[in-house]
């Protein structure tokens, strides 16, 4: 569907469908149709719709209005008009051409003053000839061409689609009326202008044609060598896919449980000062207080109590069955000879 903002014309391009799969296999055809509307706003001579018979005045039914450079005259209206709503009155008789429908559109002012003044329009809605060649088809009959390019009768029906309700007012079989709820798509909650009415009318008309092309009666063109077909089609076995996805999720869940189980048993080692100090506990004990526990290896080495001291690991034999005591020996203070091996036993 295409809309020309300059001219206000709406255009629809028809589809060619595969009879076996109408909504899966289809292609845009070369045939297109346009809808347009021309409207004129009438000057309302009386704000209150009424008409007089003898000495009695009746509300509704008629309104006094006039076209440009003409006198005021009666314009027929429905008996019941909702304030603010757009009322579309379509002529069932041909009056503006074989593919055109005459319409009268009336919007009465609303009680809440959102729409302060009433407006009245007369429009001619036209569906133009279907354009495009028939090179997609072969051996077309006259009946085929009639269905492919439509008829004047169908065009005039489509041109007035916005007003058709299937109901004729009493004693008037030449018109049908449809009133749309105020604030709806086809009855804006504002005072409409000529441009608004023309845009609504043409958009509804082309939409009706598109809807009929999509869901209307079908005509099958026989003996065709080419029909729209789908190039590729993917058939999915959903139970198999669901089982596969479920299996993957279960495997990942089991792997996560195993990871958490083994991860809870792991030992994390780092280069913290505390671990280094515990390894050098016999050396750290030579540093007064507890400050040695927070020193790094280089800081322990450069501490005044240990600076330039040569030391070795050894043990002192326990007394009265006590475990041997691991200790360090300083050069110049303890025995210089180191042990070749440590005796088996308990050490602390």
């Amino acid at each position: 569907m295409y809309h020309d903002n300059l001219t206000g014309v709406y255009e629809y391009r028809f589809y060619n469908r595969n009879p076996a799969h109408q909504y899966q296999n289809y292609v845009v055809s070369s045939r297109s149709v346009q809808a347009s509307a021309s409207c004129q706003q009438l000057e309302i001579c009386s704000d209150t719709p009424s008409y007089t018979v003898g000495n009695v005045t009746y509300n509704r039914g008629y309104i006094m209005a006039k076209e440009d450079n003409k006198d005021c005259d009666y314009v027929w209206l429905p008996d019941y008009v909702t304030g603010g709503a757009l009322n579309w009155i379509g002529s069932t008789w041909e009056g503006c051409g074989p593919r055109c429908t005459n319409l009268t559109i009336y919007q009465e002012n609303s009680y809440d003053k959102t729409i302060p003044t009433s407006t009245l329009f007369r429009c001619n809605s036209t569906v133009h000839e279907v354009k495009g060649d028939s090179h997609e088809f072969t051996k077309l009959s006259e009946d085929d061409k009639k269905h492919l390019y439509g008829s004047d009768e169908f065009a005039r029906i489509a041109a007035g689609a916005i007003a058709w309700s299937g109901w004729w007012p009493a004693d008037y079989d030449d018109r049908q009326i449809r009133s749309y709820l105020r604030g709806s798509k086809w009855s804006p909650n504002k005072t409409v202008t000529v441009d608004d009415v023309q845009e609504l009318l043409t958009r509804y008309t082309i939409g009706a044609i598109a809807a009929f092309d999509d869901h209307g009666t079908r005509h099958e063109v026989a003996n065709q060598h080419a029909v729209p077909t789908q190039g590729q089609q993917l058939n999915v076995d959903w139970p198999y896919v669901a089982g596969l996805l479920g299996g993957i999720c279960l495997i990942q869940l089991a792997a996560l449980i195993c990871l958490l189980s083994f991860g809870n048993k792991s030992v994390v080692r780092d280069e913290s000062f505390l671990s280094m100090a515990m390894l050098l506990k016999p050396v750290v004990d030579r540093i007064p207080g507890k400050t040695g526990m927070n020193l790094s290896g280089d800081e322990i080495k450069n501490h005044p109590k240990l600076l330039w001291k040569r030391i070795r690991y050894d043990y002192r034999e326990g007394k009265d069955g006590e475990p041997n005591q691991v200790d360090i020996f300083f050069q110049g203070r303890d025995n210089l000879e180191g042990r070749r091996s440590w005796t088996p036993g308990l050490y602390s």
Side-chain angles (χ1 to χ4, degrees):
M1 190 178 296
Y2 168 75
H3 178 223
D4 190 337
N5 293 322
L6 296 178
T7 62
V9 173
Y10 274 87
E11 180 178 290
Y12 175 75
R13 191 169 293 273
F14 294 94
Y15 287 97
N16 293 334
R17 301 178 183 272
N18 187 327
H21 304 282
Q22 297 182 18
Y23 297 101
Q24 287 81 31
N25 300 340
Y26 55 88
V27 64
V28 178
S29 72
S30 62
R31 295 170 292 112
S32 64
V33 65
Q34 292 183 341
S36 63
S38 60
C39 297
Q40 176 187 2
Q41 183 171 358
L42 278 62
E43 180 183 348
I44 298 177
C45 303
S46 174
D47 290 339
T48 303
S50 63
Y51 65 101
T52 303
V53 178
N55 296 325
V56 181
T57 300
Y58 298 91
N59 290 329
R60 310 295 184 195
Y62 287 88
I63 189 173
M64 297 297 293
K66 68 174 183 177
E67 300 179 6
D68 294 339
N69 302 321
K70 292 185 179 181
D71 296 331
C72 294
D73 197 0
Y74 290 109
V75 178
W76 185 89
L77 291 178
D79 292 334
Y80 300 98
V81 177
T82 303
L86 277 179
N87 300 271
W88 302 81
I89 307 167
S91 173
T92 58
W93 294 357
E94 180 182 333
C96 56
R99 303 178 69 88
C100 175
T101 296
N102 304 103
L103 295 104
T104 300
I105 300 94
Y106 177 67
Q107 183 184 39
E108 187 175 288
N109 59 339
S110 59
Y111 297 106
D112 59 3
K113 302 304 179 182
T114 303
I115 301 172
T117 59
S118 302
T119 52
L120 183 67
F121 305 88
R122 278 182 177 164
C123 299
N124 292 336
S125 176
T126 304
V127 174
H128 301 274
E129 296 281 351
V130 176
K131 299 179 181 179
D133 54 36
S134 55
H135 67 275
E136 302 105 334
F137 305 96
T138 58
K139 301 178 181 179
L140 291 176
S141 65
E142 291 301 322
D143 185 59
D144 292 333
K145 293 180 181 179
K146 179 181 178 181
H147 284 85
L148 289 175
Y149 293 97
S151 63
D152 292 346
E153 181 182 5
F154 174 79
R156 199 165 63 81
I157 293 174
I162 196 170
W164 305 144
S165 61
W167 172 77
W168 287 265
D171 301 327
Y172 294 98
D173 60 353
D174 62 341
R175 67 200 70 179
Q176 290 188 20
I177 309 131
R178 179 175 288 276
S179 178
Y180 292 89
L181 184 65
R182 171 186 168 189
S184 64
K185 186 175 184 179
W186 309 111
S187 183
N189 189 25
K190 67 174 184 177
T191 302
V192 295
T193 63
V194 171
D195 292 337
D196 294 332
V197 174
Q198 290 179 163
E199 201 276 335
L200 289 171
L201 183 54
T202 52
R203 182 151 53 98
Y204 195 102
T205 300
I206 206 69
I209 295 174
F212 191 84
D213 182 45
D214 191 57
H215 295 288
T217 57
R218 300 299 185 196
H219 175 76
E220 184 174 337
V221 181
N223 302 321
Q224 298 301 304
H225 300 294
V227 293
T229 56
Q230 191 169 2
Q232 294 181 348
Q233 185 173 356
L234 177 64
N235 294 323
V236 180
D237 187 355
W238 289 112
Y240 174 78
V241 173
L244 183 62
L245 293 177
I248 293 175
C249 293
L250 290 176
I251 292 174
Q252 290 182 341
L253 178 61
L256 178 61
I257 294 174
C258 293
L259 178 63
L260 295 176
S261 176
F262 286 103
N264 194 39
K265 300 177 181 179
S266 63
V267 176
V268 180
R269 297 181 178 181
D270 58 13
E271 297 180 355
S272 67
F273 296 164
L274 181 60
S275 62
M276 181 63 70
M278 293 300 294
L279 181 63
L280 301 177
K281 183 178 182 301
V283 180
V284 173
D285 288 342
R286 299 289 182 172
I287 300 175
K290 300 294 184 179
T291 58
M293 298 296 292
N294 295 324
L295 299 180
S296 65
D298 291 337
E299 290 174 339
I300 293 174
K301 173 185 175 183
N302 296 324
H303 193 275
K305 292 290 185 179
L306 301 173
L307 187 62
W308 309 117
K309 301 291 180 64
R310 295 177 62 86
I311 60 176
R312 75 174 188 275
Y313 277 96
D314 207 332
Y315 66 90
R316 302 183 188 278
E317 295 181 356
K319 298 179 180 181
D320 301 328
E322 294 180 354
N324 297 330
Q325 181 70 36
V326 178
D327 201 352
I328 59 172
F329 290 76
F330 285 84
Q331 182 181 9
R333 180 185 301 176
D334 298 303
N335 186 10
L336 296 178
E337 295 183 2
R339 304 176 190 273
R340 294 185 178 181
S341 62
W342 289 17
T343 60
L346 297 176
Y347 292 86
S348 63

